[in-house]
Amino acid sequence: MINENYAPLFESYTIGKGIQLKNRIVMAPMTNWSSHPDGTVTDAEVKYYQRRSNGVGMVITACTNVTRNGKGFHGEFAADRDEMIPSLRRVASAIKENGAKAILQIFHGGRQAPPELVDGDVVSASAVPLEGAGKPVPRALTETEIESIIRDFGETTRRAIEAGYDGVELHGANGYLIQQFFSPHSNRRNDRWGGTLEKRLTFPLALVDEVKRVVAEYAKESFLVGYRFSPEEAETPGITMADTLALIDTLAEKDLDYLHVSLQDFRSTPRRGVEDTRSRLEIIQERVGDRVPVIGVGSIYSANDALEALETGVPLIALGRELIIDPEWVQKVEQGRESEIVTKINKNHQHELEIPDPLWQAIINSPGWFPGIE
Ligand SMILES: Cc1cc2nc3c(=O)[nH]c(=O)nc-3n(C[C@H](O)[C@H](O)[C@H](O)COP(=O)(O)O)c2cc1C
């Protein structure tokens, strides 16, 4: 029996035009480096998703590239051509088998693409490299190329519909191409794609419009469109909380189905841009109000963490690392066994946890990233 304190986590929630989520818990998007070099998914990857889709209401997949030169990671699964639809469908089916909704996170790596994956042609809004990361100077995209990438986001959305997903999430966070256009650090353009805050919004908003156009044209049923953003950048100039509040005000008018903030810790507070000592998540939720649902995320490990995150007022919360560490997290809370939740990765349990080798290697070789790996 569930401990009644946690019942709010298990209230169903209707999102978009009538999509019913069985609870408030979402699996956060997580890259796993485990696909074949041609971009098709591996059996290990499908099993990893299947295992983690039993309890949650919705799963957001790892990011997938919409163009060939948008590939941001080795072993990333691809969605840049129709041949990939069967591979994409395997992931969607694995997620949906037990009642979770499946969202495909669509992205372009921009200046963060490893050169060897994109024939050395690393592109971005402007020729500004990532600071201090030893990354190459990217080539600024031409207007024609920008327009073509916008259509590619639309094409990938059509593939997601054909592959059986319940929605797509535009990955406008974590420093990839969409964020590179919104950021005053990486976007130094002086044409209609940059120059002022308003112009830096042109690319993200054009993507939203194109994706929504494709959904209206191809989706027979309700199909969700979400948008993920990172609220602040460390660089100067860089995205501030004030920029982000402007971004979300604009996005909130776009009839999106949800906004998803990217945070390492849901309790983190702003760096600059607002005189406010509350958490970023509370500030964002207050600003958005009831215009569009917000997904909160970041360092939610225990059932109490989850409750505390939900109490900020966001209707949905996402768990990333914790669902890798304990794939049965949701079932344990639902059955009143929250004391059995594991919150540190067990170094001997890779196979039991169905974690593909490349993801496992990334975890154990990055001290301080996952609890249990110091
Ligand atoms: C292994 C791993 C891969 C990730 N890959 C992505 C990704 O593809 N897209 C994305 O938006 N965020 C990605 N993230 C960030 C997570 O979605 C999440 O925001 C972050 O891990 C904080 O949540 P957590 O504390 O619950 O893990 C990744 C995180 C991890 C741990």
Side-chain angles (χ1 to χ4, degrees):
M1 274 277 289
I2 188 171
N3 172 338
E4 274 309 308
N5 291 341
Y6 304 122
L9 296 167
F10 291 90
E11 280 170 20
S12 66
Y13 188 76
T14 305
I15 187 165
K17 292 173 191 69
I19 291 192
Q20 190 85 9
L21 305 182
K22 63 184 173 194
N23 58 45
R24 304 306 182 95
I25 301 143
V26 175
M27 178 166 163
M30 286 184 287
T31 290
N32 56 51
W33 299 274
S34 303
S35 298
H36 295 294
D38 70 355
T40 56
V41 293
T42 56
D43 293 346
E45 199 175 1
V46 173
K47 284 204 186 103
Y48 156 90
Y49 279 113
Q50 217 156 19
R51 175 74 179 275
R52 288 164 176 80
S53 304
N54 293 326
V56 296
M58 179 163 108
V59 173
I60 305 167
T61 66
C63 58
T64 182
N65 52 301
V66 304
T67 66
R68 189 158 173 264
N69 72 355
K71 185 165 178 170
F73 303 94
H74 286 268
E76 181 175 321
F77 75 136
D80 61 328
R81 50 203 197 277
D82 283 3
E83 281 161 69
M84 292 296 118
I85 294 174
S87 159
L88 294 168
R89 187 177 291 128
R90 286 189 71 197
V91 174
S93 306
I95 293 170
K96 292 171 72 166
E97 221 170 66
N98 293 300
K101 301 298 175 190
I103 307 293
L104 187 69
Q105 191 186 53
I106 60 178
F107 114 122
H108 187 299
R111 68 181 186 179
Q112 297 214 45
E116 68 276 15
L117 293 182
V118 296
D119 299 329
D121 189 31
V122 179
V123 299
S124 186
S126 299
V128 180
L130 192 64
E131 266 180 23
K135 295 270 186 182
V137 179
R139 179 175 69 74
L141 288 162
T142 65
E143 288 231 24
T144 314
E145 287 176 314
I146 295 171
E147 276 158 7
S148 156
I149 290 175
I150 293 168
R151 285 192 298 276
D152 292 328
F153 272 90
E155 279 289 275
T156 294
T157 302
R158 174 184 55 76
R159 292 179 196 115
I161 294 166
E162 289 179 22
Y165 285 86
D166 299 292
V168 291
E169 176 173 290
L170 281 155
H171 188 2
N174 303 355
Y176 300 108
L177 188 69
I178 305 178
Q179 184 175 329
Q180 288 162 32
F181 269 89
F182 183 54
S183 165
H185 188 273
S186 41
N187 183 344
R188 308 284 172 102
R189 302 179 74 99
N190 280 310
D191 55 8
R192 71 184 174 103
W193 307 99
T196 59
L197 175 84
E198 199 181 20
K199 287 182 171 176
R200 285 188 276 112
L201 276 165
T202 312
F203 182 68
L205 296 180
L207 289 177
V208 172
D209 287 343
E210 174 64 2
V211 164
K212 288 192 68 79
R213 185 192 69 73
V214 168
V215 170
E217 184 174 343
Y218 293 97
K220 292 193 187 69
E221 297 157 7
S222 179
F223 186 87
L224 305 175
V225 180
Y227 189 104
R228 192 171 211 204
F229 60 93
S230 289
E232 294 188 90
E233 287 178 335
E235 298 90 351
T236 307
I239 296 170
T240 66
M241 226 20 217
D243 291 332
T244 289
L245 295 178
L247 169 75
I248 62 185
D249 277 341
T250 316
L251 291 175
E253 301 306 316
K254 279 280 172 193
D255 197 26
L256 286 161
D257 298 303
Y258 70 86
L259 297 181
H260 184 184
V261 57
S262 178
L263 295 168
Q264 275 298 103
D265 188 336
F266 77 90
R267 301 179 183 92
S268 64
T269 53
R271 207 180 251 132
R272 61 185 170 182
V274 283
E275 298 293 322
D276 201 323
T277 54
R278 292 174 302 162
S279 70
R280 291 156 160 165
L281 188 57
E282 286 174 281
I283 296 169
I284 288 165
Q285 174 55 41
E286 181 191 74
R287 183 66 163 244
V288 172
D290 56 11
R291 292 186 286 177
V292 52
V294 175
I295 306 180
V297 71
S299 300
I300 297 170
Y301 294 103
S302 68
N304 282 335
D305 291 341
L307 205 55
E308 189 184 330
L310 201 66
E311 282 165 359
T312 61
V314 295
L316 297 167
I317 53 168
L319 274 64
R321 288 169 290 186
E322 180 55 29
L323 284 178
I324 293 184
I325 297 168
D326 190 343
E328 275 75 48
W329 192 97
V330 178
Q331 295 88 320
K332 286 179 180 173
V333 181
E334 202 167 15
Q335 295 161 11
R337 296 191 291 126
E338 61 277 356
S339 61
E340 295 171 31
I341 291 174
V342 181
T343 56
K344 285 196 164 90
I345 198 133
N346 187 325
K347 285 185 218 156
N348 302 316
H349 283 188
Q350 181 201 345
H351 296 292
E352 200 174 312
L353 294 170
E354 293 180 283
I355 300 175
D357 288 337
L359 175 57
W360 183 254
Q361 289 304 323
I363 293 170
I364 61 172
N365 291 314
S366 312
W369 192 22
F370 275 65
I373 313 284
E374 268 78 45

